[in-house]
Amino acid sequence: MTKSDPNRILRRLPLVVGGVGAVLLLVNRLLTPELTASQARGDVLGVILSAVLILTGLIWQQVQPRSPDTVELIGEEGFVLDPDLPAGLKTELAWATHLLLTNTVTRSLLVYYQGKVLLRRGILAPKSEVTPGVILKRVLETQKPIYLVALKVYPGAIEFDYLPENTQGVICQPIGNQGVLILGANAPRSYTKQDENWIGGIADKLAVTFQELLPSH
């Protein structure tokens, strides 16, 4: 279910107040049998104030950033970790993914490394296996992240069937040259540049830990 913009009423308030004020001034003028000089001056001032409020409202509609529409991802919340991983790596993965889920718009994520899914956390889709598609293969080959700001508009989105079906945005962040951190958001265009940099830093830290605790193929 899509959540409405929480700032909608605030942005429209000057527009509504200005419009109501202009209408009241017009009604008052029409109902006044004899116009005095002081009332005329008051009407001019009122018209100016109403115009300023209406103009402010129109500007706010264009300038103030809107919060992206969010959805409730479809799936069950869970935390699935490969039981064969070293204890130190389990701790590192639990810590890193907790930070991502609590400090970004990420609501579903998984760690894919050396051809295996090592971790799934957040809102989970029924499918747990990852079959690398064009996008994931590109990230593995180039070792550069890909951010799909609005997943539904990408023809290749079908390859992310291991994420909730209504996932809005996806970041595929390389973990060294053997893995990918895949994050699903509940709102399109919701990751900031600071989020992307932070996710990249966490992935680099995980890459170091993997190299220390997991043998290379």
Side-chain angles (χ1 to χ4, degrees), residues 99-100 103-106 143-150 154 169-175 181 183 185 187-205:
L99 288 179
L100 291 170
N103 292 280
T104 71
V105 292
T106 304
Q143 298 176 42
K144 293 182 179 180
I146 291 179
Y147 177 19
L148 307 177
V149 298
Y154 292 92
V170 170
I171 287 182
C172 297
Q173 181 71 42
I175 303 174
L181 175 62
L183 306 98
R189 300 176 181 86
S190 50
Y191 286 107
T192 66
K193 191 62 180 178
Q194 183 177 359
D195 290 334
E196 294 181 61
N197 293 336
W198 193 50
I199 290 168
I202 289 180
D204 290 342
K205 177 63 169 62

Side-chain angles (χ1 to χ4, degrees), residues 33 95 159:
W95 165 81
E159 76 173 76

Side-chain angles (χ1 to χ4, degrees), residues 24-98:
L24 292 177
L25 283 171
L26 177 61
V27 171
N28 182 62
R29 172 63 70 90
L30 294 175
L31 296 179
T32 301
E34 184 178 351
L35 185 66
T36 65
S38 59
Q39 184 179 351
R41 290 194 295 271
D43 286 350
V44 171
L45 182 60
V47 169
I48 293 174
L49 290 176
S50 295
V52 170
L53 284 170
I54 293 173
L55 180 60
T56 300
L58 293 173
I59 293 175
W60 279 18
Q61 290 290 323
Q62 300 296 324
V63 174
Q64 285 197 357
R66 296 192 176 195
S67 301
D69 291 332
T70 61
V71 301
E72 295 292 335
L73 295 187
I74 299 172
E76 296 293 330
E77 188 166 358
F79 181 14
V80 181
L81 192 59
D82 188 337
D84 297 327
L85 294 176
L89 185 52
K90 289 180 180 179
T91 301
E92 184 86 0
L93 285 171
W95 165 81
T97 56
H98 173 74

